[in-house]
Amino acid sequence: MATAAASQPVAQHMPRHVAIIMDGNGRWAAQRHLPRAAGHRAGVEAVRAVTRAARAMGVQALTLYAFSSENWRRPAEEVSGLMGLLKFFIRNDLAELVRENVRLRVIGDYRRFPADVVALVDDALGRTAANTGPILAIALNYGAQAELVTAAQRLAARAAAGAIPVEAIDGDAIEAELETRELPPLDLLIRTSGEQRLSNFLLWQAAYAELLFVDTLWPDFGPDDLADAIRAFGQRQRRYGGL
């Protein structure tokens, strides 16, 4: 467990919104000659530790890529196991999120999930809806390209109906249709396990985010690693196209 001093980055360099592609559960398990399900279980423990650390460090919003729209291609047994872990996390951690004033958000079409999972997610969203503290956003059945297509279709339909002029479809209008519209702008996107791609995650939102790819497998990523990532963010110069 990291000490408080070791885990605390410099406050003035704190990103408001951090997103994480949690990659490497399967490889973590393979290295230990364990089934993939064991890697996913260890990954849930990492989620718990990192979300607590992010709150302690003062991160306003944390978005975790938990289940992509492409994950349906995995074996049915693994998908079922992931659903079970999601239910486990909600049942075991919801009381803490409520107590800590965390606002839970979901991005993605989670209503494709089994009815019992949907019911649990809906209950969790309802029980944290009035909270005013940091946001924990979970990406469930999420794909950034589909998000952008849906936003474009909604705006096009309004323009076709005469509700808005075509000229009103600008960057602000698109952002207002995105599922992250209630979150601060994305400052830092981390991917674990050494892979260096976005995998259809927050493509619009990442336009000016700082990207950090680390070799650590997700189950081994902890508070110290998050603090290191935030320190690295603080050393970046964000010019947004300027000098």
Side-chain angles (χ1 to χ4, degrees), residues 103-123:
R103 290 175 285 170
L104 184 65
R105 296 289 183 268
V106 172
I107 63 173
D109 184 15
Y110 72 93
R111 295 194 175 280
R112 276 197 59 192
F113 287 178
D116 59 337
V117 177
V118 172
L120 276 174
V121 173
D122 283 342
D123 178 64

Side-chain angles (χ1 to χ4, degrees), residues 95-204:
E96 178 179 331
L97 298 180
V98 173
R99 184 175 65 251
E100 295 296 323
N101 198 30
V102 175
R103 290 175 285 170
L104 184 65
R105 296 289 183 268
V106 172
I107 63 173
D109 184 15
Y110 72 93
R111 295 194 175 280
R112 276 197 59 192
F113 287 178
D116 59 337
V117 177
V118 172
L120 276 174
V121 173
D122 283 342
D123 178 64
L125 292 173
R127 288 177 61 185
T128 64
N131 289 353
T132 58
I135 297 172
L136 174 60
I138 308 294
L140 298 173
N141 192 30
Y142 171 84
Q145 290 177 332
E147 178 186 33
L148 289 169
V149 167
T150 298
Q153 289 174 339
R154 287 174 178 166
L155 291 168
R158 292 177 194 167
I164 59 172
V166 172
E167 295 76 14
I169 302 177
D170 57 10
D172 290 339
I174 293 172
E175 287 190 357
E177 295 295 330
L178 299 181
E179 298 189 55
T180 53
R181 56 188 171 271
E182 296 181 0
L183 277 62
L186 181 61
D187 291 317
L188 173 63
L189 191 152
I190 304 165
R191 181 170 186 149
T192 61
S193 87
E195 302 292 347
Q196 298 187 21
R197 56 182 178 271
L198 296 183
S199 296
N200 200 21
F201 183 54
L202 300 180
L203 298 180
W204 177 281

Side-chain angles (χ1 to χ4, degrees), residues 85-103:
L85 286 172
L86 175 60
K87 291 190 290 185
F88 174 83
F89 177 77
I90 293 174
R91 287 169 175 159
N92 285 271
D93 289 70
L94 179 58
E96 178 179 331
L97 298 180
V98 173
R99 184 175 65 251
E100 295 296 323
N101 198 30
V102 175
R103 290 175 285 170

